[in-house]
Amino acid sequence: RDPTPGRKPQAQAKAPAKAPPVEYVTLVRNATNKDDEEVALRVSSDMTFAQVHTALAVKLQRMDVVRCGRLVYAGSGESEGLWLDFGEDEEFGRNRKEVHLLGVDLPPKAISLSITHAIEQGGPTVLLEAWTNWRFSAVKDALATQLGRDDI
């Protein structure tokens, strides 16, 4: 009953209906190492960042992603140059094309190297499959193995 006589009760405003969740693929990239592979991850728009974090760990079969990794975004304004954490309970959203991971490495990228002799001009070119996380010594060892030589 309306406590004010002669006044009609007002209809209660309904909260807008929430759109149904959508599934899509987002890219997870390493925040600081551009050489790491990006990982395509299927998410639902109603997932929280904690759920996305766990889904990434499961996909990579690496629980260190949850223990040590952080899902972050690049700060702006006073926070420019900093990586800031998303809230664990924050909803991932409907159209986030990418998210960055900090604290653990993602798988490295496969690359092809074209190697020619530094002194012998016109010599053969050797194509070598390598990974972006290899040090020079690993490239040298792979080249020696491919050529069947141990004097490289």
Side-chain angles (χ1 to χ4, degrees):
R1 185 173 163 171
D2 189 353
T4 311
R7 194 168 119 184
K8 293 183 182 178
Q10 293 183 357
Q12 295 221 349
K14 291 184 180 180
K18 189 173 179 177
V22 294
E23 283 194 6
Y24 64 100
V25 175
T26 191
L27 295 178
V28 181
R29 295 190 167 115
N30 188 298
T32 57
N33 186 355
K34 304 298 184 227
D35 290 333
D36 277 358
E37 188 70 65
E38 60 193 24
V39 176
L41 185 65
R42 181 165 292 285
V43 296
S44 177
S45 59
D46 63 346
M47 291 172 77
T48 64
F49 274 90
Q51 291 168 321
V52 170
H53 204 177
T54 301
L56 177 63
V58 168
K59 178 170 183 162
L60 296 175
Q61 298 179 349
R62 292 182 43 203
M63 294 318 293
D64 65 317
V65 168
V66 173
R67 284 192 316 272
C68 304
R70 298 168 33 213
L71 295 177
V72 296
Y73 63 95
S76 60
E78 289 183 13
S79 300
E80 189 169 347
L82 300 175
W83 290 103
L84 305 173
D85 293 271
F86 286 103
E88 289 285 303
D89 295 330
E90 185 178 337
E91 196 170 271
F92 196 72
R94 298 184 79 75
N95 60 357
R96 190 175 303 278
K97 292 180 177 40
E98 69 179 16
V99 66
H100 291 92
L101 181 69
L102 192 62
V104 293
D105 290 333
L106 292 171
K109 291 180 185 175
I111 58 172
S112 293
L113 299 176
S114 177
I115 302 171
T116 56
H117 198 283
I119 299 173
E120 293 178 20
Q121 300 299 322
T125 298
V126 177
L127 294 177
L128 182 67
E129 296 297 316
W131 295 94
T132 54
N133 64 340
W134 281 9
R135 298 192 182 274
F136 182 74
S137 60
V139 173
K140 185 176 152 184
D141 292 345
L143 179 61
T145 299
Q146 184 166 328
L147 295 175
R149 297 175 51 182
D150 58 3
D151 62 338
I152 295 179

